[in-house]
Amino acid sequence: MNSSTVPSPAASAADDFVLQLAVDRGVLQSAQVDAARAIAAGHAESAKPAPHVLDVLAQQGAISSRQVAELLATEFGMPMAPDLSNIRVTGDALELIPRALAAKHQVVPLSRESGKLRLAIADPLDTDGLDALGYTVKMPLEPVVATPEEITAAIDRFYGKDANSIDELLNDLSGTGADASAVTTEANAAADVSNTEADAPIIKLVHQIILEAIQRRASDIHIEPLEKRFRVRYRIDGVLLEVENPPKRLQLSIISRLKIMANISIAEKRIPQDGRIQIGMNGKQLDLRVSSLPTAHGESIVMRILDKEGLQLGLPELGFLSDDAATFEKLITLPDGILLVTGPTGSGKTTTLYGCLHFINKPDRKIITVEDPVEYQLNGINQVPVRHDVGMTFASALRAMLRQAPNIIMVGEIRDLETAEIAINASLTGHMVFSTLHTNDAPGAVTRLIDIGVKPFLVSTSLRAIMAQRLVRKICLKCKRSYTPDARELRALNINPAQAAHATFAKGDGCADCNSTGYRARMGIFEIFVVNEEVQRMIYENVGTAKLREKARSLGMRTMREDGARKVTAGLTTIEEVVSITVGDAS
């Protein structure tokens, strides 16, 4: 639709109502309307489709969509909607009106308060549509008026630009023709899932779910069978967002299709299974790591979306500020020793290690990794997958790797004493070893290694540094604005008035680019514990974590909360985000 075109609110009668209203209010002159009618009538006599009179006037610049919306709002005693490009919409409001219904009636739910649904509408004359919506949501409506263009853009922003295709596919599947195939047994689906014409809507629906997740920058797709519904959620910037749910009756067919795509057995539903899906999008290859888990109401499928381009990041893109980047570059280019990256699951440890490998991957160095599983396939690096079924454990793979004469070794995770001892012995014989460990902070990794049975003298002589990390959401650049935090917020991160005076505090208002969250993408906050001779002596003497932490702080180690505070004052993230992620790091 041309941006200068004002869509008719409903039909010719509605046009006449708006035109008369515009003349009565002095927005248009009668002569302008008569001339526009003549042009429209002239088109009607030709072979071309006749435009609406309002469209003709809009093309002439005599009236705009905004003016039409304001006329209707005044006439019906309704307020104008706020700027929909900057407003945030609550999830519980969006759940009340599906995308298909919002597009059909040209409305956008804004908020649900005091038992009422506030929604932006394009056409106050469509009383039948409003009545139908009121009946659907079973609560009073509180309409505000917006232009049709604003409504259309808001629908795309809040529901996703391609979500309508999912709705259409669900509508296709709701017909009687597709219903019979939708509830076929898994055996029948396996027989010819890709060639049966009746199964095509299921295939398209599954592909569209994956495509929409990628377009919305999701890192995971969660497909979960519940007792009475079949839920689909995307994890975007670390936060789960529920999207349009397929009907419960399609559960078996959708799960079967995904298992076939992942090359895992659809006949086996009693044990967990893992697989991989490879797809091409926009000229690049994406891998989806698929995990199937039996639950009380069916198999739950989680797909991790792996984008190789996300690994080719420099240290600043990972979240390192210049001083930490310089320190870390020195550490990862050491000739031998162990460097550990610690944190809980989902804290970005693997991405950081791959970033390290990308940084040091040169033709004169042989790099071998052992991983469970191999998440990303990297050029120029030998990657070994763990396979417990044939006895290829971390420990056995490490032993074999040492006979390959590598310069650099990456162990996906140190889980037991055997793996730890082999990794330490490798570091003591001239290899640089990177690995991960599940601990809450950096000094705690020393205690963890000793707890699993590694001798303190081995830990002290092999360990070069430990880095703990978490991920925080970055403020969206499109809707970023400066603001002044209050004293309570500053106290939460121990930011003193002198620091605050030179800081650049910011927040995101929410826009189409960030799904109205105010955040887009994530970065790391770090705690780098460098092991020097003094610390080595303390580890050898097997001192506790508290004393190690105290010594690390005296040597200049910043905690993750302090690193987060630096990124808050630089306007990269928010106080709320850092406080929520580092709730256990208040010291």
Side-chain angles (χ1 to χ4, degrees):
M1 183 182 296
N2 192 300
S3 60
S4 64
T5 300
V6 179
S8 163
S12 59
D15 276 4
D16 291 340
F17 177 82
V18 174
L19 290 168
Q20 187 60 50
L21 202 58
V23 172
D24 292 343
R25 300 285 170 82
V27 177
L28 293 173
Q29 302 297 321
S30 297
Q32 289 176 298
V33 176
D34 292 340
R37 289 188 193 279
I39 293 172
H43 278 279
E45 292 173 1
S46 68
K48 296 179 180 179
H52 291 287
V53 179
L54 272 174
D55 292 341
V56 175
L57 289 164
Q59 290 166 359
Q60 293 174 346
I63 193 169
S64 67
S65 293
R66 188 73 183 176
Q67 288 174 302
V68 171
E70 288 171 350
L71 285 170
L72 290 172
T74 303
E75 180 66 18
F76 287 91
M78 297 178 182
M80 285 295 293
D83 184 359
L84 297 184
S85 64
N86 288 323
I87 197 170
R88 295 191 185 189
V89 174
T90 59
D92 57 346
L94 286 175
E95 288 176 357
L96 291 173
I97 299 182
R99 191 193 200 282
L101 207 56
K104 177 182 177 182
H105 295 291
Q106 282 289 281
V107 301
V108 173
L110 301 179
S111 62
R112 178 182 180 179
E113 297 175 3
S114 305
K116 293 181 180 180
L117 177 64
R118 188 167 180 259
L119 75 166
I121 65 172
D123 184 10
L125 294 168
D126 184 15
T127 54
D128 291 341
L130 288 175
D131 288 342
L133 285 171
Y135 178 78
T136 300
V137 301
K138 295 180 174 58
M139 67 174 58
L141 303 179
E142 196 176 86
V144 294
V145 182
T147 67
E149 293 88 352
E150 288 175 330
I151 294 286
T152 301
I155 290 173
D156 285 344
R157 182 162 66 255
F158 299 141
Y159 291 96
K161 288 190 175 182
D162 291 301
N164 58 333
S165 55
I166 291 182
D167 292 333
E168 289 167 7
L169 289 167
L170 291 174
N171 289 336
D172 291 342
L173 289 166
S174 65
T176 55
D179 186 61
S181 67
V183 291
T184 53
T185 64
E186 292 188 351
N188 290 338
D192 197 4
V193 73
S194 60
N195 297 322
T196 305
E197 187 175 325
D199 280 335
I202 287 287
I203 297 171
K204 290 178 181 176
L205 175 59
V206 168
H207 285 202
Q208 191 59 41
I209 288 171
I210 296 172
L211 181 64
E212 183 184 337
I214 293 168
Q215 290 174 335
R216 296 177 73 170
R217 303 180 298 104
S219 59
D220 305 271
I221 305 171
H222 294 250
I223 297 178
E224 303 160 318
L226 305 178
E227 183 179 5
K228 294 183 179 178
R229 61 193 182 108
F230 188 42
R231 183 168 67 181
V232 177
R233 295 190 289 176
Y234 300 151
R235 189 182 297 279
I236 302 172
D237 295 335
V239 178
L240 281 171
L241 173 69
E242 186 167 347
V243 297
E244 185 74 13
N245 294 330
K248 177 74 171 174
R249 61 187 175 79
L250 301 182
Q251 177 177 315
L252 283 179
S253 296
I254 290 173
I255 290 175
S256 294
R257 175 62 189 168
L258 287 169
K259 290 172 74 175
I260 289 169
M261 292 173 67
N263 197 28
I264 58 180
S265 171
I266 64 169
E268 182 57 74
K269 295 182 285 186
R270 301 163 299 172
I271 59 173
Q273 297 185 82
D274 294 315
R276 189 180 290 269
I277 298 173
Q278 287 190 326
I279 58 172
M281 182 183 175
N282 297 331
K284 65 180 182 180
Q285 283 291 118
L286 292 172
D287 284 353
L288 278 71
R289 197 181 79 194
V290 181
S291 170
S292 168
L293 179 70
T295 69
H297 304 292
E299 289 177 279
S300 172
I301 301 283
V302 174
M303 291 177 277
R304 169 72 60 88
I305 300 172
L306 307 173
D307 182 2
K308 294 178 186 176
E309 290 185 5
L311 302 175
Q312 299 177 7
L313 300 174
L315 298 185
E317 287 79 13
L318 290 172
F320 288 95
L321 297 180
S322 57
D323 54 349
D324 282 345
T327 300
F328 200 62
E329 281 181 15
K330 290 178 183 177
L331 292 172
I332 63 179
T333 53
L334 290 173
D336 57 30
I338 292 182
L339 188 148
L340 294 175
V341 180
T342 76
T345 301
S347 59
K349 300 187 300 295
T350 301
T351 302
T352 297
L353 285 183
Y354 276 128
C356 295
L357 295 183
H358 177 71
F359 181 83
I360 60 179
N361 186 15
K362 301 289 188 295
D364 60 342
R365 295 172 181 168
K366 184 177 179 71
I367 303 175
I368 306 181
T369 74
V370 53
E371 306 167 60
D372 183 19
V374 174
E375 292 194 357
Y376 300 91
Q377 296 175 359
L378 302 176
N379 292 328
I381 293 177
N382 301 277
Q383 295 173 271
V384 179
V386 167
R387 293 189 59 188
H388 295 284
D389 55 337
V390 295
M392 178 67 88
T393 62
F394 276 114
S396 60
L398 262 173
R399 288 194 192 93
M401 285 162 52
L402 292 174
R403 292 192 288 271
Q404 295 278 314
N407 301 105
I408 297 159
I409 296 170
M410 188 190 92
V411 183
E413 182 184 349
I414 292 178
R415 298 178 179 175
D416 52 45
L417 175 60
E418 187 179 15
T419 305
E421 285 183 335
I422 297 171
I424 286 172
N425 288 331
S427 73
L428 295 174
T429 54
H431 303 87
M432 187 63 195
V433 179
F434 298 100
S435 190
T436 69
L437 205 61
H438 288 272
T439 62
N440 287 328
D441 60 5
V446 173
T447 307
R448 171 68 179 147
L449 287 173
I450 294 172
D451 283 348
I452 64 175
V454 182
K455 300 291 190 294
F457 79 91
L458 289 175
V459 177
S460 66
T461 52
S462 63
L463 204 56
R464 296 291 176 264
I466 308 160
M467 185 178 75
Q469 71 174 68
R470 301 288 188 277
L471 293 177
V472 295
R473 291 180 292 174
K474 296 196 288 187
I475 299 170
C476 173
L477 296 177
K478 294 287 181 68
C479 60
K480 183 177 180 178
R481 64 171 176 84
S482 60
Y483 91 109
T484 304
D486 58 33
R488 179 186 56 81
E489 292 176 297
L490 294 176
R491 282 197 303 272
L493 286 183
N494 293 323
I495 299 173
N496 60 48
Q499 292 172 313
H502 298 91
T504 306
F505 295 104
K507 276 189 175 183
D509 284 327
C511 64
D513 215 42
C514 62
N515 292 317
S516 300
T517 62
Y519 299 98
R520 181 179 171 88
R522 291 187 290 174
M523 66 179 177
I525 55 173
F526 308 102
E527 179 176 284
I528 303 176
F529 180 20
V530 179
V531 178
N532 62 11
E533 290 183 5
E534 195 173 354
V535 174
Q536 283 181 332
R537 185 170 61 254
M538 293 178 70
I539 296 172
Y540 180 79
E541 293 170 357
N542 198 12
V543 302
T545 302
K547 288 186 178 180
L548 282 174
R549 187 172 185 79
E550 185 180 332
K551 171 55 68 175
R553 296 296 305 279
S554 70
L555 293 172
M557 183 190 81
R558 276 184 293 270
T559 67
M560 286 178 282
R561 177 164 284 201
E562 289 169 341
D563 190 44
R566 292 202 304 162
K567 285 156 187 174
V568 167
T569 56
L572 300 174
T573 187
T574 63
I575 293 174
E576 296 86 356
E577 187 70 7
V578 173
V579 169
S580 66
I581 296 298
T582 61
V583 67
D585 179 31
S587 60

